[in-house]
Amino acid sequence: MKPLWGIDLGGTKIEGVVLKNAESTETLCRTRVPTEQDQGYEHILDQIKKLIDLLSEETGLKPEKVGFGTPGTLDPILQTLKNSNTTCLNGKAFKQDIEAKLGIPIEIANDANCFALAEARLGVVKEKMPDARMVFGVIMGTGVGGGIVIDGKIWNGRQGIGGEWGHNFLDESGGKSYTGRTGVVETVLAGPSLARFYQQQTGDEQTLREIYQRYQAGNDPTAKQTIERLTEFFGLAISVVINILDPDAIVLGGGVGNIDELYTDGVEAIKKYVFNNRLDTQFFRPKLGDSAGVFGAAMLVSDAD
């Protein structure tokens, strides 16, 4: 089996990996370079080329193709990137441009899709539920994203927005999102959104981590209200995904996904909203940690032959 090459393109860093093969998390090389997005789109392409050269130098290998996890997604019709918070990528023919710079074919998927793919094929789902056919990967952090994996393959959808549950309407109280939409999942469940809710109630600016610590201490009623808001609205929001996709397993990633109560109170909340007399969906903590994005990017090319 051939080594797999993957690149995780982030806003501050670009990480690259060469995996031994498609069945293993063993790496032949892993390194990173700064994105330096303030220097523009062409500079990012140059940084990617620099990273590939570093990986080649370290391993003595040359890639035949490379998988890319990107912020945003490739528009299947226009073949340009869209919905990226690294804004200089939006509207650019990234796939075509990087293929021309590297001289090899590439495969692209959204970073949340790469997370879901890695956990399905190499991570916690492979370990605990290897017969799962459909996996939904959730990232709840500074934003809210998701990815769908069916039979070990990403489902991008006709418009490239498969899995984007973070931009469904949830509750007016979330206020406006960066897209201009009001009350979407991201404005309620993302870490900064929960911190903003706490500040609105108390006038006290705290991070979600600090709010959660206050909740655990048991002496802050607004911290309790904030975490209860999270678990209740998580149940409502994820029940919509379950009612439509009915996945075998859901993996919760991102900083907000570390909160234990999602697996207890959050799962209990889902039961009130799901269209069934019980909840059989399995919920897992991710196994691969920070490696999931770059490992998932590498997995994109495992079936590309």
Side-chain angles (χ1 to χ4, degrees), residues 10 49 103 105 119 121 136 143 176 178 180 224 232 245-246 262:
K49 175 68 165 60
E119 291 294 348
R121 291 182 58 172
F136 189 69
K176 282 205 171 183
Y178 75 92
K224 183 173 185 287
E232 181 67 20
L245 295 179
D246 199 9
L262 288 171

Side-chain angles (χ1 to χ4, degrees), residues 9 26 35 54 61 73 111 134-135 148 234 236 244 281 291 305:
L9 177 55
E26 183 180 343
T35 308
L54 287 171
L61 302 171
T73 190
D111 44 17
M134 180 181 282
V135 176
I148 304 166
F234 169 77
L236 177 55
I244 294 171
T281 316
S291 300
D305 289 314

Side-chain angles (χ1 to χ4, degrees), residues 14-36:
I14 309 169
E15 185 168 15
V17 72
V18 182
L19 285 180
K20 184 177 180 181
N21 58 54
E23 302 298 324
S24 171
T25 57
E26 183 180 343
T27 63
L28 301 180
C29 183
R30 184 174 178 178
T31 191
R32 59 179 59 172
V33 297
T35 308
E36 298 172 343

Side-chain angles (χ1 to χ4, degrees), residues 117 120-121 132-135 149-154 299 302-303:
L117 183 64
R121 291 182 58 172
R133 293 194 60 199
M134 180 181 282
V135 176
V149 174
I150 305 172
D151 292 334
K153 295 182 185 296
I154 289 171
M299 296 302 293
S302 66
D303 302 313

Side-chain angles (χ1 to χ4, degrees), residues 37-113:
Q37 60 173 296
D38 58 310
Q39 296 188 46
Y41 176 67
E42 292 296 334
H43 181 75
I44 292 177
L45 298 182
D46 290 338
Q47 288 296 90
I48 292 168
K49 175 68 165 60
K50 177 181 175 181
L51 180 58
I52 294 288
D53 290 344
L54 287 171
L55 292 168
S56 292
E57 187 178 325
E58 183 72 24
T59 61
L61 302 171
K62 297 283 187 185
E64 295 179 10
K65 52 187 174 290
V66 180
F68 276 80
T70 61
T73 190
L74 185 71
D75 189 304
I77 307 300
L78 301 178
Q79 290 294 299
T80 53
L81 277 180
K82 62 182 179 182
N83 301 339
S84 175
N85 53 10
T86 303
T87 54
C88 66
L89 297 174
N90 289 324
K92 297 293 197 299
F94 177 78
K95 184 176 189 293
Q96 176 183 319
D97 292 344
I98 200 65
E99 283 181 337
K101 185 166 283 286
L102 299 179
I104 53 174
I106 72 165
E107 299 289 331
I108 292 183
N110 173 265
D111 44 17
N113 286 327

